[in-house]
């Protein structure tokens, strides 16, 4: 089984639309960096996506570092700063699609947003 | 200028995480259906995404029909029904990335989610 995990900073208090746009950005960029075989399996299974929340940038970046160490595909979204946030603000992190057992090693203790 | 528009049903009252996951699904599938040249331009410009709300499935499907008539790339997301919604529920619609002037013809009067 495969999944993609999208990690959202809760401390920015982004509204629903902003969160959705940033999550879509994270999802697409992580997807583009994923292993083609993993993507194919993930799509065949229905493209499972989990959206989780973290309390701040420190927690988000710690998860990013662990994704990097495990050679998982990931992408950190920095906001363009055109609406609610300062330009360059880290908002979300996309990881995968990757095998559950790998991605769960770094995201299993995170709570759904 | 290019953009992608993600249309979300407000009547389902999806929470922030659910909305983000469905929007990411719509975004990715519409992206995969878009013109390669449009995608390249959109990426070079910073991947502008607009998330808008509609009141119900009727309004969402009317926009989908107009996207189809204009030959815009689009994708209607139907939920897998594993969590909050009944399986097959239409949740979101992704349109583009496409040129602003084309996509604005059908989405200019929609309000941000």
């Amino acid at each position: 089984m495969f999944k993609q995990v999208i990690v959202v900073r809760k401390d920015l208090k982004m509204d629903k639309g902003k969160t959705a746009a940033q999550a879509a950005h994270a999802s697409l960029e992580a997807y583009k960096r994923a292993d083609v075989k993993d993507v194919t399996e993930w799509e065949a299974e229905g493209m499972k996506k989990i959206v989780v929340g973290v309390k701040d940038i420190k927690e988000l970046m710690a998860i990013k570092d662990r994704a990097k160490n495990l050679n998982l595909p990931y992408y950190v979204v920095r906001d363009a700063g055109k609406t609610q946030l300062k330009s360059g603000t880290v908002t979300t992190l996309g990881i995968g699609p990757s095998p559950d057992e790998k991605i769960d090693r770094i995201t299993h203790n995170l709570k759904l947003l």
Side-chain angles (χ1 to χ4, degrees), chain A:
Chain A
M1 299 287 286
F2 291 74
K3 69 160 80 87
Q4 184 177 60
V5 174
I6 300 165
V7 180
V8 178
R9 271 180 70 181
K10 290 190 287 187
D11 59 318
L12 297 176
K13 300 184 193 308
M14 295 182 286
D15 65 25
K16 210 183 266 190
K18 183 81 184 172
T19 302
Q22 301 289 314
H25 197 132
S27 172
L28 180 53
E29 289 292 343
Y31 161 90
K32 285 159 63 177
R33 287 160 177 77
D35 183 275
V36 172
K37 276 168 60 184
D38 289 357
V39 165
T40 304
E41 298 255 17
W42 177 67
E43 290 178 336
E45 289 174 3
M47 302 172 65
K48 184 164 69 171
K49 275 175 233 72
I50 311 289
V51 182
V52 298
V54 291
K55 70 175 195 297
D56 56 21
I57 187 173
K58 193 176 159 191
E59 193 177 350
L60 185 146
M61 286 304 198
I63 298 162
K64 183 267 287 176
D65 287 341
R66 294 167 73 190
K68 191 175 182 179
N69 289 340
L70 286 174
N71 285 316
L72 292 171
Y74 70 89
Y75 186 79
V76 174
V77 177
R78 286 176 172 81
D79 190 59
K82 285 173 188 162
T83 52
Q84 298 168 28
L85 301 171
K86 197 175 153 190
S87 176
T89 304
V90 168
T91 58
T92 47
L93 162 69
I95 308 171
S98 299
D100 279 349
E101 60 274 17
K102 285 185 82 173
I103 213 161
D104 285 345
R105 287 172 61 184
I106 58 173
T107 63
H108 69 281
N109 60 341
L110 298 174
K111 288 195 178 141
L112 291 179
L113 182 68

